[in-house]
Structure formats: C-alpha cells, structure tokens
Amino acid sequence: MQRWRGLEDIPQDWGRSVVTIGSYDGVHRGHQLIIGRAVATARELGVPSVVVTFDPHPSEVVRPGSHPPILAPYDRRAELMAGLGVDALLILPFTAEFSQLSPADFIVKVLVDKLHALAVIEGPNFRFGHRAAGNVDFLRELGSTYDYRVEVVDLVERGEAGGGVPFSSTLARRLVAEGDMDGAAEVLGRPHRVEGVVVRGAQRGRELGYPTANVETPPHTAIPADGVYAGWLTADGERMPAAISVGTNVQFDATERTVEAYAIDRVGLDLYGKHVAVDFLAYVRGMAKFESLDGLLEAIADDVKRARVLTDAYDLKR
C-alpha cells in the first residue's frame, strides 16, 4: 500500500481512483464496511482505492484541547487498511488554514485535482469542509459537474456492545475507558491494542520475580481503565501471552499511571528502547493494595495463571 503525507506526495501521473474520506480511528467494524465497499468498487472499476484521513484529528484544530483518545496510531491504521486491500493512504495535515477550505474547494483540491476521483464512498453522516458544512448531498451534487459518482454505505453494524447501539469510534473509546475489553473487541473486530516504547520504570516487578515491560504510550492514546488484564505483548514480531497492569502502583503509593506487561514464562527479555504492542483480551481484576508482600505475590501469581488460561482459550478458538 502506498502512503502519502500531504497532497504534494501524490504521484504526478496518478490516474482515476475510488476514494473514501474520514478520520477512521480504530478502523472498527463500521469503518470496515465503508472501506471494504470502496475497495470492492475500485476493483469493479479497475482503478486503485484511496483512503483519505487527517492528522491531527480535526477536533484538535477546531477546538484545541478536545483531541479524543486515539484507538489506533497511524501506522496501525495503515496496517489494518492494507489488510482490507486499500491501495493508497493519504494523510492530510489538518491545519487551521486547511480547516478554512469550503466544501467546494475541498472537493476540487483533493478529490478532483489530485485524486481524480471516479467514485466516492462514504457513510450517511459524512461531513467535510469549513464548519463541516459539506454533506453527502452536496458531494453528490458536485459529482455531476466533476464526473464522479457517490455511493453511501448506510449499513449499520451493531451487536451486544454498548447495549446494541451502532458501532462507532465514540462507543469503542467509551468501552475501552470502562475496561470492557469484550465490548471493545466486538466493535473493533479484534482486541484493543496500545503501542509504545519500553522505558525503565521502578523495576519493582523484576525484584518480585515478574519483570514487566513499562510501555510509554504516545499522547492521547486510548488506555483501558485501571486494573489487571490478560492479553499479549508483541515485540520483534513475537506475540507472547501476558498479564498486563494499568494504573498507578497503589501497593507502593506510586502516582504515575503506567501500562506494564509481564510476558508469561519468558526469561531474560531485554526490551528497553524497543517499540512494542500490547493487546488487551480481558479484564481480570481491579487495582488493590495488599496488607503484605506475600498477599501481593499470591495475587500476581493468580493474575498470571488466569491470563495464561484466557489467552490459551482465545488462541484455541481461532
């Protein structure tokens, strides 16, 4: 999959294409319907498919300080989109100047002049341009002028998560924040993932016999509620069952909120400075302060046992 950052990165000889536009944070199951339809339409028409997204999230520019928690960083989104068959990803830097583009100017500058859109695939609530004044009706209206067609994917994906409301990034963020990893996975179509670089912490886990990878996550990352989870730690392409702790270390009166993953039964791992991924499968228990070190060690041993059982069961079902 080709990746472009800014309109100037698009090849000069780029021909017609099928385009879909959106933040697409998380590339959840609702997004997958739209992106999948764009890919299928592109193949039917014999042209490439392009996803257009924005960095940073438009809300941060329009309303500073309102950046929503991020379900997936851009590299992860690109990986997921490539898995859906997308041919190119265009990340547009969303600046104050860019936010002033009228819907008509956006269509001309992005869809017509640069991507030469043959078809545009969107959801029914798609908005674009200055003050989000453009909608699918306006997009369709200008399509007759600029020779592209518009298809609206109005299929709504829903399940048990969130009480049966339609799947959305907002719902996924809420479920993650609540520690409902089953619900989040239903919306996303996979376990929620957090990524970052392993940094040195207080090393208390190592002293207790359970060395953890202390993952420094990027700003705005959607981190699950405080507690202990079962999941996986992926480093250097290897996926390892893990017991994961999120929150402040209340046992030692720490104040910094961290994400720490213990790779079960792995000895001698040196992950400092490496970029890793942590996938959250299931909530195990809340954070607690124990009366003794023995009580803490007993709880950790039980956490590890439960995490091993849960991850083994998940892998057996797949």
Side-chain angles (χ1 to χ4, degrees):
M1 184 180 74
Q2 298 187 52
R3 294 177 64 177
W4 309 317
R5 187 170 183 85
L7 296 173
E8 64 280 359
D9 277 0
I10 301 172
Q12 294 275 337
D13 60 351
W14 187 256
R16 305 300 299 270
S17 59
V18 172
V19 183
T20 184
I21 308 160
S23 292
Y24 289 130
D25 181 23
V27 193
H28 59 67
R29 287 171 59 186
H31 292 156
Q32 291 167 28
L33 290 174
I34 299 172
I35 295 172
R37 184 58 196 154
V39 170
T41 300
R43 289 176 178 168
E44 290 167 8
L45 297 174
V47 298
S49 56
V50 182
V51 173
V52 179
T53 191
F54 309 97
D55 181 30
H57 193 285
S59 68
E60 181 63 16
V61 175
V62 178
R63 297 178 300 278
S66 66
H67 199 303
I70 296 172
L71 293 166
Y74 288 96
D75 285 348
R76 176 64 168 157
R77 292 182 217 179
E79 177 186 344
L80 293 167
M81 290 175 186
L84 294 172
V86 173
D87 295 302
L89 171 63
L90 169 61
I91 301 174
L92 291 175
F94 198 89
T95 62
E97 180 183 1
F98 187 86
S99 73
Q100 299 298 312
L101 277 182
S102 69
D105 285 344
F106 179 93
I107 288 172
V108 171
K109 290 178 181 293
V110 178
L111 293 177
V112 178
D113 289 350
K114 289 294 185 178
L115 295 177
H116 311 295
L118 185 58
V120 182
I121 316 297
E122 296 297 340
N125 299 321
F126 175 61
R127 310 288 298 201
F128 65 101
H130 184 51
R131 298 186 181 277
N135 56 22
V136 291
D137 289 335
F138 183 75
L139 190 64
R140 186 178 282 116
E141 180 183 331
L142 267 66
S144 59
T145 301
Y146 293 112
D147 189 27
Y148 64 79
R149 78 185 204 211
V150 175
E151 182 177 344
V152 177
V153 179
D154 56 5
L155 297 173
V156 175
E157 192 79 358
R158 68 174 75 225
E160 295 181 8
V165 302
F167 291 163
S168 67
S169 296
T170 299
L171 174 60
R173 292 184 190 110
R174 176 169 70 79
L175 295 169
V176 168
E178 293 172 352
D180 183 353
M181 307 322 299
D182 286 339
E186 185 184 15
V187 176
L188 295 170
R190 63 188 182 278
H192 176 59
R193 171 175 289 189
V194 165
E195 300 185 30
V197 175
V198 177
V199 298
R200 293 188 183 277
Q203 298 190 309
R204 293 191 183 96
R206 185 175 301 277
E207 294 168 2
L208 296 172
Y210 296 94
T212 59
N214 187 350
V215 184
E216 186 175 66
T217 57
H220 309 300
T221 296
I223 297 174
D226 289 2
V228 177
Y229 297 83
W232 296 271
L233 172 67
T234 300
D236 295 329
E238 183 179 4
R239 178 173 172 268
M240 299 166 277
I244 308 154
S245 173
V246 177
T248 59
N249 193 327
V250 296
Q251 187 71 28
F252 299 97
D253 298 321
T255 57
E256 182 182 0
R257 192 164 188 256
T258 60
V259 175
E260 300 182 59
Y262 166 65
I264 298 173
D265 297 332
R266 294 303 301 268
V267 178
L269 282 177
D270 183 6
L271 301 178
Y272 291 121
K274 292 186 177 181
H275 185 273
V276 301
V278 178
D279 292 301
F280 291 83
L281 173 62
Y283 181 86
V284 173
R285 66 170 173 87
M287 299 298 281
K289 188 170 184 176
F290 298 90
E291 294 183 359
S292 67
L293 185 58
D294 286 343
L296 172 63
L297 289 171
E298 185 178 336
I300 294 175
D302 187 59
D303 295 338
V304 170
K305 179 180 179 180
R306 293 177 66 186
R308 183 188 287 112
V309 170
L310 287 165
T311 52
D312 284 352
Y314 181 88
D315 284 337
L316 280 174
K317 288 190 299 183
R318 292 178 65 81

